[in-house]
Amino acid sequence: MEGIVEYLDMGGYAFYVWTSFGLCMGLMIAHLILPRRRERRILGEIRNRMRREAGRA
Amino acid sequence: MFGQAIDKYAAPENAYTLAGRLAPWFGWVTMFLLLAGLWDSLFLAPADEEQGESYRIIFLHVPAAWMSMFVYVVMAGAGAVGLVWKVKLMDAVARASAPTGAIFTFLTLITGMLWGKPMWGTWWVWDARLTSELILLFLYLGYIALQAAIDDRRTAARAGAVLALVGVVNIPIIHYSVMWWNTLHQGPTIVRAEGPAIHISMLIPLLVMAIGFTTYYLAVLMQQVRCEILEQEKNSSWVRALAAGGK
């Protein structure tokens, strides 16, 4: 338990080290997931446009 | 035969399918490399004699900095091919690369600040290396803003390629800044004529992270390029069939 606390403290640099790793991994994971949603959104927009065109015809 | 293969995969529909097949592979390789790299850089690598544990930030900072420049060169190169040979797929690659490059540049600056505060005693100095990296971030943001501002995709691709190519001059400036101007940022440790000045126990996690960041870029690129192809080809019959097929 003491070992874990000491490890997490990073020799007193806990804030700098964990902010760096947290921010890096958080941003990278978000940026990997968002394009998948973007692709679904684009296909949805094309579908809506096709429906509108079909409605007019 | 090789030319035929290029023609085949440069066709938008095939490129879209191929990118979709490759994306999960790059994703899995990235996950494996980043988990191994994180484990190595946070647990296995020893503390630095002078900097203690804070130097572990370097395992993110250096790969992010390399990628910020690598992605820019890919973006400018793809933009140039699209500009000169009118390869629309390369326009898509350039446009799909910009957000990832901007994120790597942002992370380079932020991790640099988080390392600089305890080590240099300041978040920021107008040192040549820091300033040229900040200019790189503005180049990416300028490119992204330009793409968003121009509705016609051909015009946007052309304008973006010109901007990216002019900005390429900043890349050697970033790399050589620490040698040309002897200011606060330290000189090269890995990429230098005498070979890397770093212990193997620290070099391995650094390289694993760097390769992981590269496959990460490729995984995101595959996803983003699919979106760009769909938007380029939104009036073509295959995209309409694809959209109609989904629920």
Side-chain angles (χ1 to χ4, degrees):
Chain A
M1 191 62 213
E2 233 170 78
I4 298 171
V5 173
E6 196 195 324
Y7 170 76
L8 289 176
D9 186 50
M10 281 285 154
Y13 297 115
F15 169 74
Y16 304 103
V17 173
W18 295 120
T19 310
S20 294
F21 280 83
L23 208 61
C24 242
M25 291 305 130
L27 253 180
M28 283 170 75
I29 290 167
H31 185 57
L32 191 63
I33 292 168
L34 289 179
R36 296 171 155 278
R37 295 177 46 180
R38 185 181 161 211
E39 195 179 333
R40 279 197 295 273
R41 203 191 63 224
I42 294 169
L43 285 171
E45 279 165 12
I46 295 169
R47 197 154 46 239
N48 288 340
R49 193 163 49 93
M50 284 162 66
R51 267 198 211 115
R52 281 199 305 277
E53 285 166 6
R56 270 203 302 273
Chain B
M1 195 195 114
F2 193 59
Q4 271 178 350
I6 290 177
D7 282 347
K8 187 168 167 236
Y9 285 111
E13 189 177 357
N14 295 329
Y16 175 84
T17 310
L18 181 68
R21 275 205 204 114
L22 290 176
W25 290 102
F26 285 126
W28 288 114
V29 172
T30 301
M31 202 173 86
F32 172 76
L33 286 170
L34 289 188
L35 285 177
L38 283 173
W39 178 257
D40 203 351
S41 48
L42 284 168
F43 293 96
L44 300 184
D48 186 70
E49 201 176 318
E50 284 175 35
Q51 304 177 12
E53 308 286 353
S54 72
Y55 92 102
R56 295 184 193 279
I57 295 170
I58 296 307
F59 294 129
L60 301 171
H61 177 73
V62 171
W66 285 344
M67 291 311 291
S68 71
M69 294 190 280
F70 175 71
V71 173
Y72 192 89
V73 172
V74 171
M75 187 179 95
V81 172
L83 190 67
V84 177
W85 287 287
K86 315 252 184 298
V87 185
K88 274 161 79 184
L89 181 61
M90 287 298 119
D91 290 343
V93 167
R95 197 167 152 131
S97 295
T100 315
I103 284 178
F104 278 132
T105 312
F106 174 74
L107 288 174
T108 303
L109 292 166
I110 289 290
T111 54
M113 290 166 99
L114 284 161
W115 179 88
K117 183 61 184 167
M119 291 298 114
W120 289 345
T122 176
W123 296 105
W124 185 264
V125 280
W126 292 100
D127 154 284
R129 171 60 68 83
L130 277 66
T131 308
S132 52
E133 185 75 14
L134 184 65
I135 290 171
L136 185 66
L137 180 64
F138 291 149
L139 282 168
Y140 276 122
L141 296 181
Y143 180 94
I144 293 167
L146 200 58
Q147 300 303 305
I150 304 174
D151 280 335
D152 179 57
R153 291 181 70 89
R154 282 296 306 155
T155 315
R158 251 179 261 145
V162 171
L163 172 75
L165 283 168
V166 171
V168 161
V169 74
N170 190 42
I171 296 295
I173 293 180
I174 296 175
H175 182 70
Y176 290 107
S177 58
V178 287
M179 292 175 239
W180 291 342
W181 297 280
N182 199 354
T183 45
L184 198 50
H185 196 288
Q186 69 193 63
T189 306
I190 317 292
V191 187
R192 54 179 218 153
E194 307 90 315
I198 180 175
H199 192 265
I200 188 80
S201 62
M202 296 177 182
L203 183 60
I204 288 172
L206 190 63
L207 293 181
V208 172
M209 291 297 267
I211 300 168
F213 275 33
T214 311
T215 58
Y216 169 84
Y217 162 56
L218 293 173
V220 176
L221 180 65
M222 293 303 126
Q223 283 293 329
Q224 296 274 26
V225 95
R226 273 165 74 89
C227 299
E228 297 301 336
I229 292 171
L230 285 181
E231 290 193 329
Q232 266 178 0
E233 305 289 320
K234 63 181 174 209
N235 294 320
S236 70
S237 54
W238 73 270
V239 171
R240 291 168 73 94
L242 193 70
K247 110 184 138 46

